Structures are given as structure tokens and as C-alpha cells.
Amino acid sequence: MATPKTLELRKLRLMTAIKTPYTADGNVDLPAFDKIVEHQIANGVEALIVGGTTGEGHLLSWEEHLFLIAHTKAMFGSKIAIVGNTGGMCTGEAAVATRKGFAAGMDCSLLINPYYGKTSAKGIVMHLENGLKYGPGIIYNVPGRTGQDIKPEIIMSIKDNAHFVGVKECMGHERIKLLSDQGVACWSGNDEQCHLSRHVHGAVGVISVTSNIVPGLMYKLMHGSRDDELDSKLQPLYKWLFTEPNPIGVNTLLMQLGMAEPVFRLPYTFASKEMREESVQLLKSIGLQHCPAGPNGLQVLADSDFKHVLNGDDA
């Protein structure tokens, strides 16, 4: 039987895969991070994925990653749920990180199947169960990154675990409907599909990248009645954000909005000048009042404005 906390988490409709900003010396920029989070809370976002793919958890040391989870919980834990991306390829490492993540205060883990070092269906189940031992967990199925699909039969074999919250599912409407019809809570992992997934195919909501930019509008898509007009209006932004591999687009856009210093940890780099100019027109057409913005507002940055670093130790 699911725990009360697990059941509570299944009700959340809008979660943001939050960006991790950096200072000029390559360290995590906590003041900038806090401002981004404050805008999220003010616009109705119910949970944050800390150190996810968008938040570049794979570029953070575990010390940085766990510290960011603890910081987010300490600063905002009474206002928003904290989901720590503590999964990984190595079962033992992911289990330790998940245990420490709960010790740091996270409400839920995000657990992925072993990428690159693929395993059998039984191995995936054992890998995920080792993460679910410590508290509520959302399973993340993104074959485009891991190279291996978590099949429905695998999900069904763990769905009765007391800590199984549900699935962030990137395999589209058909998969979400199949799982939802069998009582599995699903969040769309594809922003461009999330509106129909939510209103037609049974998804609870979305774990979104776009909500870094327009959280209030994403809230409306998830909590309001079906709104095909708004969904259509946002489709060009979805396309822009994922033209380059995520999180290049969202990073570039938050930097142009003045919400983060224009600092990239490699291997990520900035979007092209053409794309940067296009993004300004996109946001103006949607309405800048829906976006977070620093003191100077939205600007087209020059190539020379951007800086690349390895990590906070190479300043």
C-alpha cells in the first residue's frame, strides 16, 4: 500500500525541471537560483526537480548536488515539493545518493534506469527497487537519453511498491494512456505533448522545461480546462527550446532574460545568434509579462558575452 506521502505526490500537476545557474567562476549561483525558484513559486509550480538533466545534475559533483537539494529544501521546502534527481547508472552510487538526498530533506527522488551500461529487465527492476527503499520515487523513462526503454511490464512489476509515485514518461501519448489506464500516475516528459497528455490521455501533469520560462502559462495548461489555443501559442517556444539538446535552449534563454549569468559548464554551449534573436521575438509574441526577468530585461547577448567553464574548481 502506498504511503501517505506517496499518495500526496501523485496529485501534483506541474513540476519544473529547474535550471542550475553558475557564477563567473563556475560555482553554483545560489542567489540567482533562489530568484528563479521564487518566480516558480509565485506562478503556482508545485514541485522542482533539482539536479535533473535540465539542472545539469550530471555536471555537478555529488557534494554540489546534495548541497543544492538541502539548500532548496531549507529555503523553500514549506512552499514547494523538492524532488532530487539522485538516480544514476551505478546502482550502488544511486542508492547512496538517494539515501543522502532524503537525509538532506528531499520529498521524493527521481530514478532512472542504467544508461550506457544497459542491463536486463530484471536488472532494471532491481536497480529501481534499490532506490525506492529510502522514500518516494518517480521513475524516469527517457530512452532517447538512456538508450533503453523501461517497458510497461517493468513498471507494472514495481507499481505496488509503497514508495512508487509514478513515471515521468517520454514515450508519448499511447504509453501514457496504457499506463494511466492501469492506475499508474504519469507525468509527460515532452512539453509539446503535455497538454493533450494531461487532458486526453490520462496524465496527471508534466515535468517541464518550458515552465522555467513561462510557469504561469504551464500552470494554466495543467490546472485549467483544455485550452488548445494557448497550447498552440506555446508550440513555437517548445520547438525552439528543444532545437538544440536540452538544456542549451533554456540556459540561453534564462541568460538573455537576465536570470542567470551567461556561464556554461562544458560540454554545453550557447545557442546560435540567429536562434537568440528568434527567441526574443518568440517571447514578445507570447508576452514578456509571463517570463522572469532580471534588472535589464530581455536582451540578445553577443557571442563574446558567454563564458565556458569546466566546474567551480577551474576558476
Side-chain angles (χ1 to χ4, degrees):
M1 181 180 294
T3 67
K5 185 65 176 180
T6 298
L7 294 173
E8 181 184 333
L9 289 161
R10 287 179 184 170
K11 299 175 183 176
L12 306 180
R13 295 208 183 276
L14 177 57
M15 307 190 207
T16 295
I18 199 75
K19 177 191 165 36
T20 304
Y22 303 109
T23 57
D25 64 5
N27 283 294
V28 175
D29 188 340
L30 292 179
F33 178 82
D34 291 350
K35 288 178 182 176
I36 294 170
V37 173
E38 286 164 2
H39 188 261
Q40 295 287 302
I41 293 169
N43 284 275
V45 174
E46 297 148 275
L48 301 173
I49 311 299
V50 178
T53 307
T54 305
E56 301 178 22
H58 47 293
L59 302 187
L60 302 175
S61 68
W62 277 117
E63 181 182 21
E64 289 175 314
H65 199 148
L66 292 165
F67 173 79
L68 192 57
I69 290 171
H71 170 82
T72 311
K73 181 65 176 182
M75 291 292 292
F76 306 106
S78 64
K79 301 176 182 178
I80 198 165
I82 311 302
V83 181
N85 175 34
T86 54
M89 180 174 68
C90 170
T91 306
E93 184 177 298
V96 170
T98 301
R99 176 172 56 81
K100 290 183 176 180
F102 280 112
M106 70 184 186
D107 299 291
C108 182
S109 62
L110 185 69
L111 301 172
I112 201 163
N113 52 312
Y115 48 88
Y116 185 73
K118 301 176 187 177
T119 185
S120 62
K122 181 180 178 181
I124 293 174
V125 170
M126 296 174 72
H127 176 82
L128 296 174
E129 286 179 337
N130 270 282
L132 290 171
K133 288 193 300 189
Y134 302 103
I138 296 170
I139 308 305
Y140 183 15
N141 187 31
V142 56
R145 288 190 182 272
T146 65
Q148 188 173 30
D149 184 17
I150 305 177
K151 302 287 188 182
E153 51 267 30
I154 294 175
I155 296 299
M156 298 312 295
S157 73
I158 62 173
K159 85 176 187 72
D160 292 328
N161 186 299
H163 290 144
F164 173 78
V165 177
V167 184
K168 177 184 178 183
E169 183 57 75
C170 296
M171 288 294 284
H173 297 318
E174 185 177 343
R175 178 68 62 85
I176 284 175
K177 178 168 174 50
L178 187 155
L179 292 172
S180 298
D181 285 350
Q182 297 180 78
V184 175
C186 293
W187 289 267
S188 174
N190 302 323
D191 282 359
E192 74 280 3
Q193 296 181 340
C194 70
H195 180 247
L196 290 181
S197 287
R198 156 76 178 93
H199 292 283
V200 177
H201 300 284
V204 176
V206 64
I207 295 177
S208 176
V209 175
T210 307
S211 54
N212 280 278
I213 308 300
V214 286
L217 297 182
M218 296 303 294
Y219 179 92
K220 192 174 180 183
L221 287 182
M222 292 299 105
H223 282 271
S225 57
R226 182 170 170 176
D227 190 340
D228 292 343
E229 182 179 354
L230 176 57
D231 186 44
S232 295
K233 188 175 184 178
L234 292 177
Q235 286 296 327
L237 177 58
Y238 302 147
K239 182 179 179 181
W240 189 94
L241 285 169
F242 296 98
T243 297
E244 296 283 9
N246 183 52
I248 289 172
V250 70
N251 282 354
T252 302
L253 205 40
L254 284 170
M255 291 168 185
Q256 295 210 139
L257 284 162
M259 294 300 291
E261 292 292 322
V263 178
F264 280 89
R265 278 193 182 183
L266 288 169
Y268 298 119
T269 187
F270 50 87
S272 68
K273 183 72 176 295
E274 181 183 5
M275 281 189 66
R276 299 198 304 272
E277 291 172 343
E278 181 188 359
S279 71
V280 171
Q281 298 310 312
L282 266 178
L283 291 188
K284 286 181 177 178
S285 69
I286 292 169
L288 293 178
Q289 70 272 22
H290 300 297
C291 307
N296 297 321
L298 179 61
Q299 302 179 75
V300 177
L301 296 176
D303 288 2
S304 59
D305 291 326
F306 294 97
K307 180 179 180 181
H308 298 95
V309 298
L310 301 181
N311 53 49
D313 297 326
D314 69 329

